[in-house]
């Protein structure tokens, strides 16, 4: 399923940023709302507690002042004391009215109503009854009852304040839990959105990286399509256009190589045959100097023929699957046959071949394995100096035939190791790398070894180049993949 992307990469980033920030903004807004409600509750609780405490203290004080004024009035019969008693009564009523307006429980409301009723009755009794006939002890006892009732109301107010404080603490704890739970819910949501946006952003970039990597590796067959914003999709279309252009250029190169190789092969055959006739003195005897020149011509024609054959083999490998004609091979005999072909060169350079052979019989394609070992041996001879030595070993090991060759040349420099088996790669110097010449020998060798299900590697060595080839001994142990094997 194709993902619907916006038209530009910038728009995708802005949408992603918005989707990531929205859950966080919601969390911050919700937290601010919770905290604002909590602050309002805290403010109301503190205000009511202060008013209730202040009114309760004022109520007790006014009741005490009323009792003191009444006692003094009963003793001194002074009208000013009665006025003080009346003022305290008015202040007492206002204080009880404030308490009644506060958010208190029904029990406290009933107690306040009882207190107001009893205090009003006592006030009327003190005001209307003559001081000579009033029952002083009874009045004082009623004041004591009022004080007890007032103290009870004060205690209940304190308990109510404590309950409101506990309720506020529970509300605070509940709010904290809600905020934590909200954060634990929204943060993963924001994280998932961030991961999704990252995937949407990274996917077209990965596709472009893979496409460019394939182009760099010379794979021009798979079309390039970038699933992404409009501008990146357009860039993918330009890359696909570049792929098609490179594919056409590559095909032209391959056609050129095939045509040139075939065109050169015919005159080269004539040159080689002519040099061999001269060397064999068919046209007449030659002087030593002429023989040397004829030998140089023959050796150069052989080298040129080998380079042309490598070009033909390379183009064949590029355009069709290698078809292997399996037959029973004596690997030691094959190596000895190749060494015999270079006997003249080995003698002229006084190169010593140190052999470590064990009888090794395997199933393989004779022609292609001849090409593999011929390339490795010719490279070793080429880069081994005069009077040097080359070590060659052939042994069976764990259902594999293992061929190793270690020359006495300068070896492979570090800069060439990574691209040693790349086609046409020649290295940084003619005598510092094993990939001089056409640069196809090792590439073709690797193609044929891979077709046999084996591997060719360059081993670490302090001096000289040390190659190892591992080939399966039997066809049933081959890992051919797409290679078509033909048993004979």
């Amino acid at each position: 399923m194709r993902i619907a992307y916006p038209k530009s990469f910038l728009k995708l980033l802005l949408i992603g940023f918005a989707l990531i920030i929205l859950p966080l903004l919601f969390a911050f807004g919700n937290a601010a709302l919770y905290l604002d409600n909590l602050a309002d509750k805290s403010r109301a609780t503190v205000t009511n507690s202060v008013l209730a405490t202040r009114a309760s203290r004022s109520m007790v004080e006014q009741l005490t002042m009323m009792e003191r004024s009444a006692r003094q009035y009963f003793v001194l019969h002074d009208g000013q004391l009665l006025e003080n008693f009346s003022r305290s009564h008015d202040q007492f009523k206002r204080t009880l009215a404030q308490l009644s307006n506060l958010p208190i429980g029904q029990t406290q409301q009933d107690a306040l109503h009882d207190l107001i009723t009893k205090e009003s009755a006592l006030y009327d009794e003190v005001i209307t009854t003559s001081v000579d006939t009033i029952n002083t002890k009874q009045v004082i006892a009623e004041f004591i009852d009022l004080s007890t009732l007032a103290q009870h109301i004060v205690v209940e107010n304190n308990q109510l304040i404590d309950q409101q404080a506990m309720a506020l603490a529970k509300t605070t704890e509940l709010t904290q839990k809600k905020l934590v739970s909200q954060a634990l819910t929204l943060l993963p949501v924001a994280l998932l959105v961030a991961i999704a946006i990252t995937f949407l952003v990274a996917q077209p970039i990965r596709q472009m990286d893979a496409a460019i990597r394939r182009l760099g590796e010379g794979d021009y067959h798979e079309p390039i399509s970038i699933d992404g914003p409009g501008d990146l999709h357009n860039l993918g279309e330009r890359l696909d256009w570049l792929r098609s252009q490179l594919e056409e250029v590559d095909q032209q190169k391959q056609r050129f190589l095939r045509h040139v190789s075939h065109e050169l092969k015919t005159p080269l055959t004539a040159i080689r045959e002519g040099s061999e006739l001269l060397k064999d003195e068919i046209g007449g005897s030659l002087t030593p100097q002429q023989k040397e020149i004829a030998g140089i011509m023959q050796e150069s024609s052989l080298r040129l023929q080998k380079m042309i054959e490598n070009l033909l083999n390379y183009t064949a490998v590029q355009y069709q699957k290698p078809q292997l004609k399996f037959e029973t091979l004596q690997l030691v005999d094959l190596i000895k046959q190749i060494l015999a072909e270079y006997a003249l060169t080995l003698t002229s350079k006084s190169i010593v071949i140190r052999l470590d052979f064990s009888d090794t019989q395997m199933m393989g394609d004779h022609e292609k394995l001849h090409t593999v070992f011929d390339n490795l041996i010719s490279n070793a001879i080429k880069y081994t100096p005069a009077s040097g030595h080359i070590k060659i070993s052939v042994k069976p090991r764990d259902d594999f035939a293992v061929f190793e060759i270690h020359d006495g040349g300068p070896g492979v420099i570090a800069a060439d190791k990574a691209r040693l088996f790349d086609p046409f790669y020649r290295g940084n110097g003619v005598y510092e790398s094993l990939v001089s010449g056409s640069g196809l020998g090792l590439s073709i060798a690797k193609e044929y070894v891979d077709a046999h299900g084996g591997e060719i590697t360059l081993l670490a060595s302090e001096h000289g180049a040390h190659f190892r080839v591992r080939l399966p001994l039997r066809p049933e142990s081959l890992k051919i993949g797409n290679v078509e094997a033909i048993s004979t």
Side-chain angles (χ1 to χ4, degrees), residues 82 121-131 133-134:
L82 191 59
L122 181 59
Y123 172 76
D124 293 338
E125 182 181 356
V126 172
I127 292 298
T128 57
T129 305
S130 172
V131 69
T133 60
I134 194 169

Side-chain angles (χ1 to χ4, degrees), residues 210-315:
I212 295 173
R213 190 180 299 276
R214 289 197 302 272
L215 292 179
E217 293 173 352
D219 181 7
Y220 310 125
H221 304 294
E222 183 178 350
I224 297 174
S225 178
I226 305 298
D227 295 329
D231 44 8
L232 294 185
H233 182 70
N234 294 335
L235 180 59
E237 293 179 349
R238 296 189 186 97
L239 285 176
D240 190 62
W241 173 82
L242 177 61
R243 177 199 62 80
S244 62
Q245 296 297 314
L246 290 174
E247 185 178 17
E248 182 178 354
V249 171
D250 185 66
Q251 291 175 354
Q252 292 176 357
K253 180 190 72 173
Q254 300 297 339
R255 287 195 296 270
F256 172 79
L257 290 176
R258 290 200 307 274
H259 294 162
V260 168
S261 300
H262 283 289
E263 291 296 330
L264 290 177
K265 199 170 185 181
T266 301
L268 177 62
T269 302
I271 294 174
R272 180 181 174 185
E273 290 177 353
S275 64
E276 289 178 353
L277 291 175
L278 286 174
K279 187 177 180 182
D280 294 338
E281 299 183 353
I282 300 299
S285 61
L286 301 177
T287 64
Q289 186 177 10
Q290 290 173 336
K291 287 183 178 181
E292 184 180 355
I293 294 174
I296 293 174
M297 291 176 59
Q298 184 183 18
E299 184 179 351
S300 297
S301 64
L302 289 173
R303 288 182 59 191
L304 184 57
Q305 181 181 1
K306 182 176 178 60
M307 293 175 65
I308 293 175
E309 289 175 351
N310 282 339
L311 285 173
L312 290 173
N313 290 333
Y314 173 73
T315 54

Side-chain angles (χ1 to χ4, degrees), residues 381-400:
I381 295 173
K382 181 177 182 179
Y383 292 102
T384 299
S387 302
H389 62 273
I390 299 174
K391 298 178 182 179
I392 301 177
S393 70
V394 177
K395 295 181 180 180
R397 187 183 304 164
D398 297 331
D399 294 329
F400 282 88

Side-chain angles (χ1 to χ4, degrees), residues 152-443:
H152 180 68
I153 292 175
V154 170
V155 171
E156 289 187 348
N157 281 339
N158 290 336
Q159 291 177 351
L160 180 61
I161 292 173
D162 292 339
Q163 292 175 359
Q164 291 177 345
M166 292 177 62
L168 180 61
K170 290 182 179 180
T171 302
T172 304
E173 183 179 358
L174 182 60
T175 301
Q176 183 180 10
K177 289 182 178 179
K178 288 182 178 179
L179 293 178
V180 172
S181 176
Q182 177 180 272
L184 293 177
T185 302
L186 292 178
L187 285 179
V189 171
L191 183 60
L192 290 176
V193 172
I195 293 175
I197 295 300
T198 302
F199 172 77
L200 294 177
V201 172
Q203 183 182 19
I205 295 177
R206 285 196 300 268
Q207 291 176 344
M208 284 191 294
D209 179 73
I212 295 173
R213 190 180 299 276
R214 289 197 302 272
L215 292 179
E217 293 173 352
D219 181 7
Y220 310 125
H221 304 294
E222 183 178 350
I224 297 174
S225 178
I226 305 298
D227 295 329
D231 44 8
L232 294 185
H233 182 70
N234 294 335
L235 180 59
E237 293 179 349
R238 296 189 186 97
L239 285 176
D240 190 62
W241 173 82
L242 177 61
R243 177 199 62 80
S244 62
Q245 296 297 314
L246 290 174
E247 185 178 17
E248 182 178 354
V249 171
D250 185 66
Q251 291 175 354
Q252 292 176 357
K253 180 190 72 173
Q254 300 297 339
R255 287 195 296 270
F256 172 79
L257 290 176
R258 290 200 307 274
H259 294 162
V260 168
S261 300
H262 283 289
E263 291 296 330
L264 290 177
K265 199 170 185 181
T266 301
L268 177 62
T269 302
I271 294 174
R272 180 181 174 185
E273 290 177 353
S275 64
E276 289 178 353
L277 291 175
L278 286 174
K279 187 177 180 182
D280 294 338
E281 299 183 353
I282 300 299
S285 61
L286 301 177
T287 64
Q289 186 177 10
Q290 290 173 336
K291 287 183 178 181
E292 184 180 355
I293 294 174
I296 293 174
M297 291 176 59
Q298 184 183 18
E299 184 179 351
S300 297
S301 64
L302 289 173
R303 288 182 59 191
L304 184 57
Q305 181 181 1
K306 182 176 178 60
M307 293 175 65
I308 293 175
E309 289 175 351
N310 282 339
L311 285 173
L312 290 173
N313 290 333
Y314 173 73
T315 54
V317 168
Q318 294 298 308
Y319 277 87
Q320 62 183 2
K321 301 173 183 178
Q323 291 187 340
L324 305 181
K325 296 182 179 181
F326 289 109
E327 57 183 288
T328 302
L329 299 175
Q330 291 291 343
L331 194 55
V332 172
D333 294 341
L334 177 60
I335 302 304
K336 288 180 178 179
Q337 176 188 346
I338 296 172
L339 289 173
E341 296 172 1
Y342 290 97
L344 183 61
T345 305
L346 292 171
T347 302
S348 63
K349 295 183 69 173
S350 301
I351 295 176
V352 177
I353 303 294
R354 297 178 181 176
L355 303 177
D356 183 11
F357 288 169
S358 296
D359 184 47
T360 305
Q361 181 174 301
M362 63 171 291
M363 296 290 291
D365 188 300
H366 182 277
E367 180 183 353
K368 291 178 173 56
L369 290 182
H370 184 283
T371 302
V372 171
F373 298 122
D374 181 72
N375 278 319
L376 292 174
I377 292 174
S378 64
N379 276 336
I381 295 173
K382 181 177 182 179
Y383 292 102
T384 299
S387 302
H389 62 273
I390 299 174
K391 298 178 182 179
I392 301 177
S393 70
V394 177
K395 295 181 180 180
R397 187 183 304 164
D398 297 331
D399 294 329
F400 282 88
V402 180
F403 167 88
E404 292 189 13
I405 182 168
H406 190 178
D407 63 45
V412 182
I413 63 177
D416 292 340
K417 290 181 179 179
R419 301 185 59 187
L420 187 62
F421 297 100
D422 289 354
F424 299 104
Y425 184 70
R426 297 178 49 135
N428 296 322
V430 175
Y431 295 103
E432 295 178 342
S433 175
L434 293 180
V435 285
S436 63
S438 65
L440 290 174
L442 291 178
S443 175

